[in-house]
Each structure stands twice: as C-alpha cells, then as structure tokens.
Amino acid sequence: MTTPFPFTAVVGQDDLRLALLLNAVSPQVGGVLVRGEKGTAKSTAVRALSALLPAVDVVSGCRFSCDPDSPDPACPDGPHEAGAGESRPARMVELPVGASEDRLVGALDIERALAEGVKAFEPGLLADAHRGILYVDEVNLLHDHLVDLLLDAAAMGASYVEREGVSVRHAARFLLVGTMNPEEGELRPQLLDRFGLTVEVAASREPDQRVEVVRRRLAYDDDPAGFAARWAGEESAVRARIVAARELLPSVRLGDGALRQIAATCAAFEVDGMRADIVMARTATALAAWAGRTDVLAEDVRQAALLALPHRRRRNPFDAPGLDEDRLDETLEEFGGPGEDGGEDDDPDPGPDDDPDPGPDGGPGGQPAPGEGPRGDGDTAARPEAGEGGEPQAGPGAGEQSAVRAAEPFRTKVLHVPGIGQGAAGRRSRARTEQGRTTGARRPRGALTALHLAATVRAAAPHQRARGRSGPGLVVRRDDLRQATREGRESNLVLFVVDASGSMAARQRMSAVKGAAMSLLLDAYQRRDKVGLVTFRGSAAEVALPPTSSVDAAAARLESLPTGGRTPLAAGLLTAHDVLRVERLRDPARRPLVVVVTDGRATGGPEPVALAGRAARMFAADPVASVVVDCESGPVRLGLAGQLAGELGGTAVTLDELRADSIAGLVRDVQGTSRRAA
C-alpha cells in the first residue's frame, strides 16, 4: 500500500488545510471545492487528510458501513442488531471522471429482479464512501447528471436507486471534496452553491517557500515511509485535535449576535437563498471547536464568510469568485460583535446598506446593446490605419486600435447542429444519450444500464411454454433483455471565428459585435459546450483559444481583443478548418458548430475574395454546421456575409436577428447539412 504524503508536511496552503480540517471536525459543513492552477498540492492535501480521520466502527460484513451502535434500519444488508462491530480506518474513495451512473450509485441485477423478484444490489462508490471521504478530482469535467446525483446524496445523507419499479435506499454520509482547474471549465452556479466551502489555491511566488516544497517532495519520493515517520508526531497531534474538536462541537454556543452578523453578511453580499447562512453558521461553530472554544466570536464569523461566500457571489457566469474583505469588515463592525448577553445592539433594525456592492469589476455592461449604438458605415469610421488609396496597411499590428468593451449580453436564439449525434451529454443538439426520453429498444451491448420493460416482456413471452413456465412469474433469459434507447441533448464544440480587422474597428460597432459574441459564449456556457476562438486581422489568423471547456477563458480573450489591419478572411477559415481537424481526432463524437462573426469582407493578398470562397467550400465539403453572424452596418450593405454563409453551406443572421426576442423570434436551426441534402 502506498504511503500517503503527510498532511502536516504540505507547505503553505493554509486556507485549503483549514477548510479540509473544518469538514473533518463537522461533516455537516458540506464539503470543500478546491479551485486552482495545476501543481498546487490540491490532490496531495485531500489524499493526506484520510490518514488523519479517526477510525470508524462498522457492522461486520455490512457492505454499507453501518454503525453498530445505531445501524440503519433500511440498510439493504440488514436488518442489523445493535452490538459490537469491528474497527477500520476511514476510507477515501475516488470518483473517476469517466465513471458511469451505475458505478456511482450502484446497480441492480435486473435479470434477477424480474425473474426472482429479489433486490440483488451491487453497491456503488457512494456506499463505499459512507462515513469517509468521497474525492472527485476535476469535478468540473464530470457530467452534470453525475454531479447532481452525488450532491443530492451529500445533502440528504442517503442514496436512492430506482429502476423499473425496484428501489433501493442506503445511507451515504461522507465528506465531499472536489478539486478543479478553472482553466478547464467552470461548474454551474447552482452546483457551486451546493459545496459548503470553496478555497482558491495558487503556487507561492516566494522563492524560499518554493524551495521547501521541492525539498520535501524529493525527500518523500526518495523514502516515503521514512519521510512519513519524521512527520508522525505532527500527524498524531492533528489527529488528536480533530477528535477533541468533534467532542467539543455539540457544546459550542452560536449566540444571537453571531447569527445576526451571519445574516447581515449574507444579505450585504446579496447571496441567493439561505444555504450560505446555514453553511456560515456551521463553519463558524466548527472554527470555534477547532480553536477549543465554546463560544463563536466575530473572528470565526469573518473566517467563515471568507470560506463560504466567495463562490456564491457570482452574479453571472463570467464573474470571478471573490469577496471584498473591506466591505466584509465594515458589515461585521456595523452589526457589532457577539456580546456576552447574546448580541444586543443599539440599533436592532439597521437600514439597508447605503453603498451597495456595484458587482465584480470587469463585468460587461454600460454599453449600448447591438442595434442601438452603431451609426453609419463601420468601414468608413475605421480608416485611421489606411494608407494611400484607402487600403488598410499590411501587417498584424498595422493601425491596431485598443480593445473596446463588449456591449451588454443578451439572450440569443438557439443554434443547433442538424441530425442526431452521440456526443457528451449537454443542452444543445439532439443526440442519443443515457438521459432523456425513451425512443426505442435494442439488444444491450455490454452491461444493461436502462431496461426497456415492455420490449423485454415481448421478447420473453413467446418462449414461456418451451421454458416450462408453471408459476405466475415470467421466465426471463439474458437474451430477452432489451436496452432502452433514449434521445436527449448533447454538447457541441462551438468554434468562434471572429473578424478583428479594420473593417470592424468602429468603436460602437465593435462593442456591439463583442456583445453578440459574449451572448453566444454565455449560451454555450449554459448548454455545456466546448468552445474555441480563432481571430483574424492584418495578414494572418491565430488560435486565440484552443478548444476548451472554459468559457470564461474565451470571454476574457474576446474582451481584450484589439482590432485593425486588413481582413484575411481565408486565413481565418483555414485556421478554423485545421482546428476542427485536430479536434476531430481527439474527440470524434463531439460535433462542431462554426460561428463566423464578420461583415464578409476579404482584403489583402492576391485574389482575397476567391481564396476566401475556396476556403469556405472546404467546410461545405466536410460537411460542418455553420452560421455567419452578419456584422455589416450602415445604409449601404453589400450582403457579403450572406454570400459567405452560402459558400459555407450554412445560414446567416444579423446582429438584430440573433436576439431571441427579435421580430423573427423563432428558434433557428443551422441548416448546413439539411440544405445540402435537399
């Protein structure tokens, strides 16, 4: 068995270690989500925590780790009689990113359930983690339905498995820890809220601390057992402190003054719902117990807020989690500390905050919406970089203008990839998935995961006499079982190809264009898509963001995008084609949707228009679903974006038509493949 790296030997990361220890003291806090860049000891600290947890007493032979002093009356292995059990170390169970629903919650033997009427249940990882730790590395890459299942189990303390009228329930109380790198994609705000605490971690920039990290890691790799032995004393001390804090926890007093501070803080930071108040209260109580006190102090409330509120402050998906500590201190001071008499203040009903939080810096807003700001021909307004004869100067930096801020995002029409795919579960295009409405049945390939009962009965019925059926039960063989086929929604790869040339550089116009692209990015975030960003200007195109699940990263790159120079449309399309070719090798099941944001102009180099047409027809030959967002404005319009859409085999929409509430407010499908088929 591998010797884990000692928890007390982790250098720095004080907030991470404190959050994990508080959950070890009080699992009711609700778990920890650890966010940070790669290589910051996230996984090391979590795996090391399991060695500090006290041993647990379990009923001998129970697969669900029932407590012998109070066994679960509904345990599938029960009923158990209260009495002596056996002691074993607390488990740490890891949930792989590619785990199936059956692996997480367990599976029923459908054949035995139908033929024999027995609940033959094989426990999953939730049962293994009961009274221990469930660790999910890269939790942001899990399918949403799996995240929903494990968070529901963590909140209810039980797991439910329902299959064709047969149900099993078992206890599932565990310390939930998730780690993630935000660069690889974010969790939805609803899922963020379900984690009790969140910690942001980053590698130290102090050379001495980095030296110590390397020194300890090398020493551990050379002799894991010897290194762990050198830290055994510190590990024992922390383990004893956890036990003492658990014993003290029921005696900790959370006074009315502390409760008022908690409520005032959550209200001041405009946190949705009441879960934050409850988590803060439990965290502050655990902090007091960890410090060996029986009263919750203002410092406990402050620390609880720093751990429980930052990830609940996001007002839109592109906001970075965070908390204004100055405002936190002002709120705590305004509502006073918990007094000895329970927290009475001079003003029991303070008025609302006169200076409400304006929201995180850097969020889009304050700009005219597309269709309201642009005036006149954007090309005419974007000529400062032009040389003699009105032609833009060559070179990627020629005539470059500083980035403009995006206009306010809006709700867009839903763009679909035509046909039925088989990609990862999401919310955009039709696909055959494990979740969704039942559309038919087939013979199972491998393990049966979703029984189609009617089809199974029809397959077994003609053979009952030959099988010697004599009783009321149906004689079912494995060959009779039928897997239900279901249709749901998949996520796609949405590749944005954005024109950043001088023809797009009018400030109001580019603000509207960026606002539209931000709106499409927001739609991609909500539909769980993968996104990529290709930009073109001057004499070349570049992959500003390779395909990723981090829509936040794409939004940041788009926000800082400068403009200027000629319009190498062909280079942009060819670069996008190369990106799709590579991505198709990496993830062949994920279907792409190309969104070209341009006015359709092509300048620079020999025969730029003809070259752009040939590049566009490469997409039509594949075929690839595409849509062109026509950014042309002014009284005279050339309709070049519409021509480009025709050559791509896709469709074109104007900025105004892109809005879901526009006059043509019906859902628009990308008709690339279907039109060619017609």
Side-chain angles (χ1 to χ4, degrees):
M1 182 177 179
T2 304
T3 303
F5 191 91
F7 185 85
T8 52
V10 174
V11 179
Q13 309 296 9
D14 295 338
D15 288 344
L16 168 59
R17 292 190 294 169
L18 178 60
L20 292 172
L21 290 170
L22 292 177
N23 274 272
V25 171
S26 176
Q28 290 78 17
V29 166
V32 185
L33 176 64
V34 187
R35 298 162 43 93
E37 59 196 31
K38 52 188 175 292
T40 49
K42 300 187 298 292
S43 300
T44 298
V46 174
R47 293 188 175 101
L49 178 66
S50 61
L52 298 178
L53 297 182
V56 295
D57 294 329
V58 298
V59 173
S60 299
C62 178
R63 297 174 296 167
F64 301 88
S65 302
C66 281
D67 187 343
D69 293 332
S70 56
D72 182 4
C75 175
D77 283 355
H80 305 297
E81 295 183 0
E86 61 183 22
S87 181
R88 64 161 175 78
R91 292 174 179 162
M92 194 199 74
V93 177
E94 293 194 38
L95 174 62
V97 170
S100 65
E101 181 177 337
D102 286 346
R103 185 74 185 98
L104 176 64
V105 301
L108 293 169
D109 187 330
I110 301 296
E111 185 175 1
R112 289 189 62 192
L114 287 174
E116 304 174 26
V118 298
K119 296 181 182 179
F121 181 70
E122 184 65 29
L125 295 177
L126 292 180
D128 293 341
H130 180 47
R131 304 176 69 196
I133 300 174
L134 180 61
Y135 172 46
V136 188
D137 193 13
E138 297 181 320
V139 64
N140 52 324
L141 302 184
L142 273 182
H143 290 311
D144 283 352
H145 74 282
L146 292 182
V147 179
D148 288 332
L149 285 171
L150 75 90
L151 290 178
D152 284 343
M156 296 185 296
S159 175
Y160 295 85
V161 182
E162 303 284 346
R163 292 287 170 84
E164 305 296 343
V166 182
S167 63
V168 172
R169 173 219 169 267
H170 64 82
R173 293 183 296 276
F174 46 82
L175 193 168
L176 175 63
V177 183
T179 58
M180 60 176 281
N181 183 351
E183 294 178 357
E184 297 172 342
E186 283 284 359
L187 281 172
R188 301 199 315 267
Q190 298 92 327
L191 301 181
L192 279 172
D193 184 54
R194 299 294 293 275
F195 282 93
L197 309 180
T198 296
V199 177
E200 295 280 342
V201 297
S204 173
R205 299 300 184 256
E206 292 293 331
D208 291 342
Q209 195 171 71
R210 296 175 75 96
V211 167
E212 186 61 24
V213 170
V214 175
R215 181 181 291 119
R216 293 187 185 182
R217 185 69 207 191
L218 292 177
Y220 170 77
D221 290 341
D222 289 341
D223 183 9
F227 184 83
R230 291 196 292 274
W231 290 88
E234 288 83 350
E235 294 282 286
S236 297
V238 173
R239 190 179 299 110
R241 189 175 175 184
I242 291 174
V243 173
R246 284 186 173 184
E247 294 174 351
L248 183 62
L249 187 65
S251 304
V252 175
R253 176 177 173 270
L254 183 65
D256 290 342
L259 281 172
R260 286 190 61 213
Q261 281 191 315
I262 290 170
T265 300
C266 293
F269 285 99
E270 300 179 352
V271 176
D272 294 334
M274 295 298 299
R275 184 174 285 118
D277 303 62
I278 297 170
V279 170
M280 273 190 66
R282 289 173 173 165
T283 304
T285 303
L287 280 162
W290 179 247
R293 290 184 269 101
T294 56
D295 286 306
V296 174
L297 305 181
E299 61 193 67
D300 300 323
V301 176
R302 186 182 191 280
Q303 184 64 56
L306 292 175
L307 293 172
L309 296 188
H311 60 298
R312 297 183 167 93
R313 283 282 300 124
R314 300 185 72 177
R315 309 313 299 174
N316 70 68
F318 300 147
D319 289 343
L323 204 66
D324 185 342
E325 294 193 34
D326 291 337
R327 188 165 183 223
L328 172 61
D329 292 335
E330 292 173 2
T331 303
L332 294 176
E333 183 178 354
E334 178 184 354
F335 285 84
E340 296 179 358
D341 58 352
E344 292 186 3
D345 292 316
D346 294 333
D347 182 7
D349 186 20
D353 192 346
D354 293 331
D355 185 21
D357 185 13
D361 292 338
Q367 298 292 333
E372 298 175 356
R375 293 289 185 270
D377 187 352
D379 260 7
T380 304
R383 293 289 183 176
E385 80 287 3
E388 292 185 8
E391 278 298 314
Q393 297 175 8
E400 181 176 300
Q401 298 185 12
S402 60
V404 298
R405 197 175 185 185
E408 190 72 27
F410 53 85
R411 189 167 63 90
T412 67
K413 292 179 180 178
V414 182
L415 304 175
H416 298 296
V417 176
I420 300 179
Q422 297 182 354
R427 299 180 178 181
R428 184 172 296 278
S429 305
R430 294 172 58 198
R432 296 182 181 90
T433 62
E434 293 296 325
Q435 307 292 321
R437 64 185 181 90
T438 301
T439 58
R442 60 172 174 79
R443 291 181 181 274
R445 305 183 187 100
L448 181 70
T449 57
L451 178 74
H452 194 296
L453 184 58
T456 299
V457 171
R458 286 197 299 269
H463 308 290
Q464 296 305 296
R465 180 176 298 178
R467 293 174 182 173
R469 173 184 170 185
S470 58
L474 191 66
V475 181
V476 179
R477 303 280 172 82
R478 180 163 295 276
D479 288 344
D480 301 327
L481 299 179
R482 295 294 182 269
Q483 173 86 22
T485 58
R486 292 173 175 169
E487 183 178 306
R489 294 285 172 178
E490 68 176 358
S491 64
N492 298 112
L493 167 60
V494 182
L495 181 62
F496 292 89
V497 185
V498 180
D499 185 348
S501 66
S503 68
M504 304 282 287
R507 295 190 69 82
Q508 283 188 329
R509 182 181 179 193
M510 196 61 196
S511 175
V513 169
K514 283 189 176 183
M518 285 286 192
S519 303
L520 289 166
L521 279 172
L522 179 59
D523 181 69
Y525 171 89
Q526 293 169 340
R527 299 187 189 283
R528 315 306 293 162
D529 291 320
K530 217 172 171 181
V531 298
L533 177 62
V534 172
T535 64
F536 58 94
R537 64 188 178 92
S539 60
E542 67 170 337
V543 181
L545 184 71
T548 175
S549 296
S550 179
V551 179
D552 293 34
R557 302 288 173 87
L558 184 65
E559 186 75 42
S560 60
L561 179 67
T563 57
R566 292 181 176 177
T567 311
L569 177 58
L573 295 176
L574 291 173
T575 301
H577 192 271
D578 288 342
V579 170
L580 294 182
R581 178 179 55 80
V582 173
E583 194 63 21
R584 192 176 291 118
L585 296 175
R586 293 175 177 169
D587 191 358
R590 190 184 295 270
R591 297 187 295 163
L593 169 62
V594 177
V595 179
V596 185
V597 184
T598 182
D599 57 10
R601 287 174 170 80
T603 61
E607 300 183 344
V609 176
L611 186 59
R614 288 197 295 271
R617 288 189 286 275
M618 291 177 61
F619 285 88
D622 272 350
V624 176
S626 60
V627 60
V628 177
V629 180
D630 184 358
C631 302
E632 191 174 31
S633 62
V636 179
R637 305 195 181 196
L638 304 178
L640 298 176
Q643 296 178 24
L644 175 63
E647 291 173 326
L648 287 169
T651 188
V653 294
T654 65
L655 290 177
D656 287 336
E657 291 173 343
L658 189 62
R659 290 176 174 270
D661 54 358
S662 66
I663 295 176
L666 299 177
V667 172
R668 180 191 296 266
D669 286 349
V670 181
Q671 299 294 335
T673 303
S674 57
R675 286 185 177 180
R676 284 190 295 276

